[in-house]
Amino acid sequence: MPTLTFDGVFDPQPRRLDIAALDLQGFLDASYADLRAAFGPPSIDAVPDGAGAMWHIITPAGPVELFDYDNPDSPQEYPAQRAGWHLAADDLSALPWIYQHVLGSTEDFPRLTLSRDVVAITEAYILYLSHQASGWKAKERAGELKWLQARSLFVPLHRSRTLLLDVLLADEWAAADETQRQAWQALPEPRLRHRLGDPEYLSGLRARHRWAVLTDWRGPGVQPAELATGLAALADRLAERRQIAVGRAYYEIYRRTVAALAERAAEPDRIG
């Protein structure tokens, strides 16, 4: 399979990877020409009288199958025409990598995913930021980046992840009863023992972050924000501050994605 790396570099050289069946996770509107430009020739390029094309891609968050759906014409016949494509993966966390690479932004991730669970969508975006930050740190350790370069790339991604975790934990706090809140406050310091890609990584990250900051947020009489309100407040906060990211392009993508998450959380059919 061709590989999409954490820093947006696409390696067209196929790698062997045995994968189980993947589940439909989301959608993508793009032309056949767009996808060939992004990922090279498809893994399967079917004849025009039946199914269309399929790409198999490895992302830092796992493998993805990208294939066309509900198209009246074969995409090869009209390569410049925008069409609908399915994205199948193990979970939501691989999708932001595809949207960023093809669309140049993760802003459409909240509305293009199949899930209605805004908590799960937000957590997938947190994992995306975590993978990017860890990838830049790994490059520093490998000697490819100077320390200041790595720090300038790692810190904003890490900080962005932390701000979103704050919102998720505030939502959990708002929904919890007093017994649960007291139990959280009594927890000993958890250790983050799992690596990126492990199923337990995000739950461990959440537990450690809750231990570190939860009692500082919630003084007597402070009302925690629910998810839609918290995301909208973060989006407004990001619109007023410009120090969060490395460069205007990254900052704008992050800000717009948080705003899109807030819109999705405010929809009446959302879960979480």
Side-chain angles (χ1 to χ4, degrees):
M1 290 183 180
T3 304
L4 182 62
T5 64
F6 74 91
D7 51 356
V9 175
F10 183 71
D11 181 1
Q13 298 302 317
R15 288 171 46 194
R16 290 186 57 82
L17 181 68
D18 296 326
I19 59 174
L22 302 175
D23 296 321
L24 179 63
Q25 302 289 349
F27 308 95
L28 174 64
D29 292 325
S31 70
Y32 179 79
D34 291 336
L35 296 180
R36 279 193 66 105
F39 300 121
S43 308
I44 300 173
D45 204 1
V47 294
D49 61 351
M54 175 182 288
W55 280 263
H56 296 95
I57 304 153
I58 301 173
T59 77
V64 172
E65 287 182 347
L66 194 160
F67 54 97
D68 70 315
Y69 75 96
D70 195 26
N71 294 329
D73 304 298
S74 170
Q76 296 89 330
E77 286 189 291
Y78 304 96
Q81 179 176 301
R82 297 183 70 82
W85 302 82
H86 275 134
L87 290 169
D90 288 324
D91 53 44
L92 296 175
S93 59
L95 268 62
W97 296 96
I98 301 298
Y99 296 135
Q100 178 64 44
H101 191 67
V102 177
L103 304 176
S105 173
T106 53
E107 178 184 0
D108 288 330
F109 170 48
R111 71 173 182 83
L112 291 177
T113 179
L114 187 65
S115 175
R116 295 183 294 119
D117 188 340
V118 183
V119 170
I121 299 169
T122 305
E123 289 179 340
Y125 188 56
I126 290 172
L127 282 175
Y128 169 74
L129 297 171
S130 299
H131 275 103
Q132 285 188 314
S134 296
W136 288 118
K137 290 293 286 184
K139 258 197 165 183
E140 176 199 4
R141 289 193 293 269
E144 297 181 45
L145 293 174
K146 295 180 180 179
W147 182 85
L148 286 176
Q149 290 176 310
R151 181 174 176 79
S152 69
L153 292 162
F154 168 80
V155 172
L157 293 164
H158 175 77
R159 178 63 175 152
S160 302
R161 176 189 75 178
T162 299
L163 292 174
L164 280 172
L165 269 175
D166 286 350
V167 174
L168 283 182
L169 294 180
D171 180 56
E172 285 186 1
W173 186 270
D177 57 26
E178 191 58 34
T179 300
Q180 180 63 71
R181 293 176 183 179
Q182 292 177 2
W184 284 336
Q185 290 175 329
L187 286 174
E189 179 182 2
R191 302 292 182 183
L192 190 57
R193 304 180 186 277
H194 305 289
R195 295 182 298 177
L196 277 169
D198 293 341
E200 301 86 359
Y201 173 82
L202 189 60
S203 60
L205 184 68
R206 182 198 295 267
R208 180 167 177 79
H209 192 61
R210 180 191 290 121
W211 180 89
V213 301
L214 192 57
T215 55
D216 293 335
W217 303 343
R218 304 296 166 230
V222 175
Q223 293 298 313
E226 295 184 351
L227 186 57
T229 304
L231 288 167
L234 177 56
D236 290 341
R237 176 182 170 189
L238 293 172
E240 297 172 357
R241 299 179 61 185
R242 296 295 185 264
Q243 308 97 306
I244 195 67
V246 177
R248 173 67 63 180
Y250 171 78
Y251 168 80
E252 286 297 331
I253 290 170
Y254 175 60
R255 183 184 63 80
R256 292 198 305 263
T257 304
V258 173
L261 285 167
E263 291 178 5
R264 189 69 184 94
E267 293 178 4
D269 68 336
R270 65 98 173 178
I271 303 172

